[in-house]
Amino acid sequence: MTETVTDPAFLTGQYSAHNYAPLPVVVAHATGVWVTDVHGRSYLDMLAAYSALNFGHRHPRLIAAAQRQLERVTLVSRAFDHDQFGPFCAELAELAGMQMVLPMNTGAEAVETAIKVSRKWGYAVRGVPADQALIIVFDGNFHGRTTTIISFSSDKDARDEFGPYTPGFVSVPFGDLAALSRVLADPETGPRVVAVLVEPIQGEAGVVVPPPGFLAGVRSLCSSHGALMIADEIQSGLGRTGHTFACEAEDVVPDAYLLGKALGGGIVPVSAMVSSREVLGVLKPGQHGSTFGGNPLACAIAREVIAMLREGTFQTRSAELGARMHERLGQLPEEVVSGVHGRGLWAGVSFTSRSGREVCEQLATRGVLAKETHGNTIRLAPPLVITESELDWALDTIEAVVTS
Ligand SMILES: Cc1ncc(COP(=O)(O)O)c(C=O)c1O
């Protein structure tokens, strides 16, 4: 008799493309900050799906919003309007202090949207000669995985052997205003620059915070050179840093926000470019879109996310508990930890000689889930609903593993 293999981990290894190397934990249930694996073992989720779970797993308000909408209508495509769409756009625009919204699904699609819109704005409004537009990005960036986006990545794994690459991007060191200024002042490149695309804090790079004044400097250089400042807040936005938008830490208002991850409440993918009428107004019917972008279920959930963020409590929790987390992480021994960076409930911890992967594997055996990045760094981004005692327990566990 042949036996059917039903072990999920085996099936993943056998049938899924190996584009990820997950920790050996197979999740079956999750509530709040806790996930439970197929063997009934609990783990505290200190990654929160790269901040897509800012409100925790299955937040009751978000599940209720999803269930209400599931009973009504889930998809119409943008061929027709629906009663969640206009209110979603208006509420998100208001939260961001902007005028218009273009919804998509994944973060990468929001970034692609910004690239297309900036180029079109450059040609239509700025008078840049056809096909000459340039967008400035920063070394160490992570904006997604499409062929155009990886064309300006400095990560070899993300980029190598996926060419030919999309032209039209110039990368300068993150945090280096002089380098940005040189590209903008160069008579060959400067007049062609339509936008500067920046993560206010580089998440994938290891939660790298730029030097104070950097974002304000980018804002002012963009304004003086007539280029759009596009803030990719897909990971940094929506409460993660103790602010609704990470740009707020320097009182900076960009020309556009790119949002994703937490906007879908950890339930469905929802992303958006949020900007002014002048910028998003360049698009005409037929020039951009997505079958699922702005669907009724996505809009209903995102509207609840926006309502929760309007109350401000998640931002406050992130700021307060984040201060506690950074204080504790800052006390880890220097011989083992070479740096702790981040803001709010978001931290990168770099090790002098240990691999991030090995630390994450040890953390998992003790019931804490985190994720390594770039060799010797781990990222911590717990759901913002974490309690003080849960956070303390996670930090005790991290301390025990790091000093073992
Ligand atoms: C800053 C930033 N932009 C864009 C993306 C891409 O988002 P997605 O994976 O939903 O395409 C990510 C994902 O980690 C990100 O951190």
Side-chain angles (χ1 to χ4, degrees):
M1 198 172 82
T2 50
E3 203 181 309
T4 312
V5 179
T6 53
D7 174 38
F10 171 81
L11 296 173
T12 300
Q14 202 67 11
Y15 292 105
S16 152
H18 294 178
N19 55 329
Y20 282 90
L23 286 171
V25 174
V26 182
V27 175
H29 300 277
T31 305
V33 298
W34 296 95
V35 304
T36 309
D37 74 7
V38 286
H39 308 295
R41 198 154 176 229
S42 291
Y43 303 81
L44 204 163
D45 184 354
M46 287 290 282
L47 180 66
Y50 310 102
S51 294
L53 288 160
N54 277 0
F55 310 99
H57 293 268
R58 301 189 307 113
H59 190 287
R61 279 179 69 174
L62 298 172
I63 294 292
Q67 277 168 343
R68 280 195 302 274
Q69 192 59 36
L70 282 169
E71 298 299 321
R72 296 177 60 233
V73 54
T74 56
L75 184 64
V76 291
S77 86
R78 293 287 310 282
F80 315 115
D81 201 0
H82 61 81
D83 64 3
Q84 296 299 306
F85 187 69
F88 159 69
C89 293
E91 288 157 15
L92 184 57
E94 202 214 341
L95 183 80
M98 299 268 172
Q99 297 166 327
M100 272 191 168
V101 170
L102 196 162
M104 297 293 279
N105 311 283
T106 64
E109 287 172 294
V111 175
E112 288 279 350
T113 302
I115 292 167
K116 284 176 68 177
V117 168
S118 309
R119 286 177 172 180
K120 195 156 175 46
W121 173 86
Y123 303 132
V125 178
R126 270 270 313 280
V128 171
D131 298 339
Q132 293 298 304
L134 287 178
I135 293 175
I136 302 182
V137 297
F138 294 94
D139 299 351
N141 69 71
F142 185 84
H143 296 285
R145 299 285 193 180
T146 65
T147 37
T148 288
I149 293 171
I150 58 99
S151 295
F152 55 83
S153 170
S154 41
D155 176 352
K156 276 176 69 60
D157 287 340
R159 191 172 195 276
D160 282 6
E161 299 185 341
F162 296 118
Y165 302 109
T166 308
F169 301 94
V170 178
S171 189
V172 300
F174 187 55
D176 189 342
L177 285 174
L180 176 61
S181 179
R182 273 197 296 280
V183 179
L184 289 168
D186 184 314
E188 205 278 312
T189 51
R192 297 163 54 201
V193 175
V194 294
V196 175
L197 173 62
V198 62
E199 292 162 87
I201 293 177
Q202 286 190 333
E204 187 73 18
V207 198
V208 179
V209 182
F214 173 66
L215 292 176
V218 172
R219 172 66 283 176
S220 109
L221 284 169
C222 283
S223 299
S224 55
H225 285 81
L228 301 176
M229 177 181 180
I230 314 276
D232 180 345
E233 296 245 18
I234 288 165
Q235 196 165 161
S236 61
L238 309 182
R240 175 51 59 190
T241 64
H243 303 276
T244 307
F245 302 101
C247 283
E248 287 170 40
E250 287 198 9
D251 285 328
V252 162
V253 179
D255 295 296
Y257 289 112
L258 306 182
L259 303 172
K261 296 197 193 282
L263 191 56
I267 302 176
V268 283
V270 187
S271 68
M273 176 172 181
V274 189
S275 187
S276 63
R277 254 178 248 294
E278 177 191 302
V279 173
L280 277 171
V282 298
L283 288 181
K284 302 283 174 294
Q287 295 177 343
H288 193 58
S290 152
T291 304
F292 285 91
N295 69 71
L297 182 61
C299 288
I301 294 168
R303 289 184 68 194
E304 195 64 33
V305 166
I306 295 163
M308 286 160 70
L309 284 168
R310 263 204 232 110
E311 294 168 9
T313 47
F314 293 94
Q315 295 88 323
T316 307
R317 284 187 76 74
S318 178
E320 288 174 2
L321 292 177
R324 190 184 182 92
M325 179 168 91
H326 281 278
E327 197 196 324
R328 287 272 319 259
L329 293 172
Q331 290 162 6
L332 291 171
E334 278 172 30
E335 315 84 75
V336 198
V337 171
S338 57
V340 176
H341 15 95
R343 183 168 292 143
L345 270 176
W346 197 21
V349 182
S350 301
F351 302 107
T352 47
S353 55
R354 291 181 71 173
S355 95
R357 176 71 186 196
E358 179 243 312
V359 171
C360 287
E361 281 167 359
Q362 286 199 23
L363 284 172
T365 64
R366 295 184 188 224
V368 171
L369 295 181
K371 174 82 174 90
E372 79 279 6
T373 186
H374 296 293
N376 65 342
T377 300
I378 63 167
R379 274 174 291 181
L380 303 173
L384 310 180
V385 294
I386 194 168
T387 63
E388 238 171 67
S389 59
E390 286 165 335
L391 182 63
D392 284 345
W393 178 79
L395 292 167
D396 290 344
T397 310
I398 290 165
E399 189 183 324
V401 164
V402 163
T403 54
S404 64

